[in-house]
Amino acid sequence: DYTYRLFQQGKFIKVPVIFGDDTNEGTIFVPKTTSTVGEADTFIQDQFPNINFTHLTKLNDWYLKENQTREFPNSSPYWRPASTAYGEIRYICPGIYMSSVFASAGVNSWNYHYAVQDPAAEASGRGVSHTVEENAIWGPQYVSGTPPASYLTENAPIVPVMQGYWTSFIRVFDPNPLRYPGSPEWKTWSDGHGEDYRRIFVRTNETRMETVSEAQRERCEYWSSVGPDLSQ
């Protein structure tokens, strides 16, 4: 069955989990030539063939208003808005949904928002793109591709922070006991008493806890509710 539906039915292994995403999950997938709302909709339709007019109306209203367009070198104005839409539907919202499902099942669940900014990536519009956090989790000298230059300079301090959380989780199923000295406590997604949607905001020298915004929560609740309709 579809993943969303199976999670709705409680058909998953109940073990402690970490879910999380990057600020700009969609930028490496959406064509940089996306110049109109129609082209943005066509890209989304190609990714989700079952998407219907009602879904697209929501999408256009949330993400593809003219005042949301952005100009970056060698790109068209609707590249970034379409990237935001795709990133939430495909990655961020499913992660938020699964964090809530595990928490509702009484399982410790941690979520992160990775927001470490590389100057070159920010200038290009790629931003904090899909899986860029692997440079901090493994260390930039151990990744298969070329790491962003800043991970060897100004963003080097985020590497031991991420590695501390991850190795602690691997060893004791909790990212906190063995975390890097001085790193903030990474609280669970829910405290079990009504304080929910908690995630850690990860940025060099700014790492802290945050709560998912009401606007993103609204969008993600909708996309999760129609997930099986989109064959997710």
Side-chain angles (χ1 to χ4, degrees):
D1 206 342
Y2 295 124
T3 304
Y4 267 118
R5 193 173 289 147
L6 290 170
F7 273 86
Q8 290 167 3
Q9 295 169 358
K11 295 178 180 178
F12 58 93
I13 304 299
K14 313 304 192 293
V15 295
V17 288
I18 289 175
F19 295 108
D21 294 282
D22 306 289
T23 302
N24 307 111
E25 284 283 352
T27 52
I28 66 173
F29 302 101
V30 178
K32 296 187 76 171
T33 55
T34 304
S35 59
T36 65
V37 172
E39 289 177 357
D41 285 348
T42 296
F43 172 81
I44 296 294
Q45 287 173 307
D46 287 344
Q47 311 311 308
F48 305 100
N50 292 334
I51 199 166
N52 63 35
F53 180 78
T54 300
H55 304 145
L56 285 174
T57 299
K58 285 274 193 182
L59 184 146
N60 293 347
D61 187 55
W62 277 328
Y63 305 101
L64 302 180
K65 296 290 190 182
E66 188 172 354
N67 63 0
Q68 295 167 313
T69 60
R70 299 284 302 277
E71 296 288 347
F72 289 100
N74 304 310
S75 68
S76 296
Y78 280 90
W79 168 51
R80 279 288 294 261
S83 297
T84 300
Y86 181 70
E88 286 199 339
I89 299 169
R90 177 70 77 188
Y91 297 108
I92 296 173
C93 294
I96 285 175
Y97 175 78
M98 289 189 289
S99 293
S100 294
V101 168
F102 274 85
S104 295
V107 180
N108 283 335
S109 171
W110 290 268
N111 189 289
Y112 66 89
H113 168 195
Y114 193 76
V116 175
Q117 295 177 315
D118 173 73
E122 292 300 316
S124 72
R126 192 170 68 254
V128 189
S129 57
H130 182 63
T131 72
V132 71
E133 70 270 39
E134 69 180 13
N135 293 283
I137 294 172
W138 298 109
Q141 68 273 43
Y142 298 115
V143 296
S144 57
T146 302
S150 66
Y151 280 76
L152 300 169
T153 56
E154 62 203 83
N155 280 320
I158 205 63
V159 175
V161 172
M162 286 289 279
Q163 290 183 341
Y165 288 132
W166 256 251
T167 54
S168 181
F169 180 79
I170 291 165
R171 292 177 64 185
V172 299
F173 309 120
D174 185 327
N176 292 294
L178 304 175
R179 70 184 187 272
Y180 186 70
S183 302
E185 179 186 0
W186 185 352
K187 296 179 181 178
T188 53
W189 181 253
S190 171
D191 69 352
H193 302 287
E195 189 175 338
D196 304 317
Y197 290 90
R198 306 186 303 184
R199 64 186 177 191
I200 197 164
F201 174 89
V202 181
R203 179 173 288 171
T204 305
N205 301 322
E206 298 180 40
T207 300
R208 54 179 169 76
M209 291 300 300
E210 69 173 11
T211 302
V212 177
S213 71
E214 290 290 342
Q216 188 172 62
R217 197 179 307 187
E218 177 189 358
R219 295 192 300 270
C220 285
E221 286 176 353
Y222 176 75
W223 293 124
S224 297
S225 72
V226 300
D229 297 336
L230 303 184
S231 301
Q232 283 186 287

